[in-house]
Amino acid sequence: MYPQLSISTLLNSGDLAQSLTALLSGDRYRVTQFSSENELFDFIELEKQQIDCLILQASSNLNSLVEQLQRRAILLPAVVLKSETATRSHESEQLETLNPTESILPAPNTAQIHQTSLSCTYHIATVEVSITEVDRMVQLIHQAIVQFLKLSPTHHTPSLQPASDLVAELTSQNSLMLQQRRLTEKLKERLGYLSVYYKREHKNFLRYLPPDEKQKFLKKLKSNYSNIVLIYFSGEEQLNQKIDDFVNMAFFADVSVSQIVEVHMELIDEFSKQLKLEGRSDDILLDYRLTLIDTIAHLCEMYRRSIPRDF
């Protein structure tokens, strides 16, 4: 059983609340829903050390809640659901401010719009999306946590205090660092291997790398695997560490099992050609199927224990 993430919501729509309850049902989430700003704020004051993410629906009353949280230096991962009309309206305002040269540029894709055009009223790591994307809530929660953990203490939120109010700013920065440390430790303690998932960067995935970087990565991956093969039956103590290093490299680049098999086959084929040139039998290479099985087993276990089952 996966340990639970604690989610608190403030939603105006009953249908939306029901949808979220269905989406986050199961043993991975503990959802506490509120329809009143005061009830949510009181709960946050008491339970902020236990809340892993806020889900808020944009409304005319949301700003007052955000201002209270900012004034009291309460910073938490957050997802804000905005109406589709409001999202389009904001994007139209952004386009109207462009000069003629800018207006002929290609329009950004949806992902870029979400990152750059929606206003961040709570802190800059807030994930703000259209309410139509509620079906992606599991991914959005994970994104909010990732961005929050990367939030810089010196650049996190629009200041509501005068620039000269150093005490207020330092209090806010300290609160952020404490929350980040608390959440990081909580993920490690409660989620174990699952916390590793939050450290992965999609931009570093093998399939997203430019061709030259991809070839460089595969060359390094093959070299590391070759080192494992060469000492696999030697009994060296370094073997387990080399396998772990190889698996970590593959995991953070989201390398598939089929690609690992391909690396193995290419390497064994090279060894076979070399043995034949030396006039020796390549039958011994069959034993290295154990190397492949062992490595894949480690990699599969890493994926099994690390990636949320919701994905």
Side-chain angles (χ1 to χ4, degrees), residues 161-167:
Q161 304 289 343
S164 60
D165 194 345
L166 182 59
V167 174

Side-chain angles (χ1 to χ4, degrees), residues 33-308:
Q33 296 188 339
F34 300 91
S35 56
S36 162
E37 173 190 323
N38 291 333
E39 289 178 356
L40 174 61
F41 188 79
D42 290 342
F43 182 79
I44 292 175
E45 284 279 27
L46 293 174
E47 303 290 339
K48 61 185 176 183
Q49 295 301 318
Q50 303 301 323
I51 298 174
D52 297 311
C53 187
L54 296 175
I55 301 176
L56 309 172
Q57 184 175 357
S59 70
S60 58
N61 297 324
L62 183 58
N63 285 340
S64 62
L65 172 64
V66 168
E67 289 175 2
Q68 289 186 70
L69 294 174
Q70 289 175 335
R71 279 197 297 268
R72 304 195 184 202
I74 298 175
L75 298 172
L76 295 166
V79 176
V80 175
L81 298 172
K82 307 182 77 171
S83 69
E84 191 173 13
T85 301
T87 303
R88 288 200 302 266
S89 175
H90 184 85
E91 291 168 6
S92 297
E93 291 175 3
Q94 292 293 107
L95 291 173
E96 288 174 1
T97 62
L98 296 175
N99 61 41
T101 301
E102 292 173 318
S103 64
I104 63 175
L105 295 175
N109 60 38
T110 303
Q112 291 173 324
I113 289 175
H114 290 164
Q115 292 297 321
T116 61
S117 68
L118 295 179
S119 61
C120 292
T121 56
Y122 185 18
H123 51 68
I124 63 173
T126 302
V127 175
E128 300 189 47
V129 297
S130 167
I131 200 170
T132 59
E133 297 193 48
V134 67
D135 290 343
R136 297 179 52 242
M137 186 51 66
V138 170
Q139 294 94 325
L140 295 174
I141 289 172
H142 293 158
Q143 181 183 345
I145 292 175
V146 169
Q147 294 183 182
F148 183 82
L149 292 177
K150 296 178 181 178
L151 198 55
S152 168
T154 59
H155 185 218
H156 53 79
T157 182
S159 177
L160 297 179
Q161 304 289 343
S164 60
D165 194 345
L166 182 59
V167 174
E169 182 62 23
L170 290 176
T171 300
S172 181
Q173 292 181 16
N174 184 60
S175 173
L176 173 62
M177 289 187 289
L178 288 175
Q179 288 288 3
Q180 289 175 323
R181 187 179 305 126
R182 190 267 317 170
L183 185 55
T184 300
E185 292 174 353
K186 186 175 184 180
L187 288 173
K188 289 180 179 179
E189 177 184 353
R190 297 174 62 196
L191 307 182
Y193 264 74
L194 184 57
S195 63
V196 177
Y197 174 84
Y198 296 100
K199 299 178 182 179
R200 303 206 319 168
E201 292 277 3
H202 285 200
K203 66 180 181 181
N204 295 328
F205 284 3
L206 181 61
R207 60 184 177 275
Y208 297 139
L209 294 179
D212 56 336
E213 291 186 25
K214 183 176 182 178
Q215 290 303 314
K216 184 177 180 181
F217 175 88
L218 289 173
K219 183 178 180 180
K220 176 64 175 175
L221 191 72
K222 184 176 179 179
S223 175
N224 288 355
Y225 187 73
S226 176
N227 292 333
I228 293 172
V229 170
L230 291 174
I231 68 170
Y232 190 77
F233 293 108
S234 67
E236 288 192 27
E237 294 182 359
Q238 296 180 350
L239 176 62
N240 287 335
Q241 184 59 54
K242 287 185 179 297
I243 292 177
D244 287 342
D245 291 344
F246 177 85
V247 166
N248 284 336
M249 183 179 181
F251 175 79
F252 282 103
D254 200 43
V255 176
S256 67
V257 169
S258 61
Q259 288 172 307
I260 300 300
V261 173
E262 185 178 337
V263 168
H264 174 86
M265 297 305 294
E266 288 180 358
L267 188 63
I268 294 302
D269 186 55
E270 292 175 6
F271 286 166
S272 176
K273 291 178 180 178
Q274 181 63 35
L275 289 173
K276 289 178 179 178
L277 287 175
E278 297 174 1
R280 299 163 59 188
S281 172
D282 62 357
D283 290 346
I284 190 175
L285 296 178
L286 294 176
D287 294 339
Y288 287 95
R289 290 178 295 186
L290 294 175
T291 311
L292 178 61
I293 293 172
D294 193 6
T295 304
I296 289 179
H298 278 76
L299 181 60
C300 289
E301 181 65 7
M302 185 75 164
Y303 279 120
R304 186 188 71 82
R305 298 179 64 181
S306 301
I307 298 181

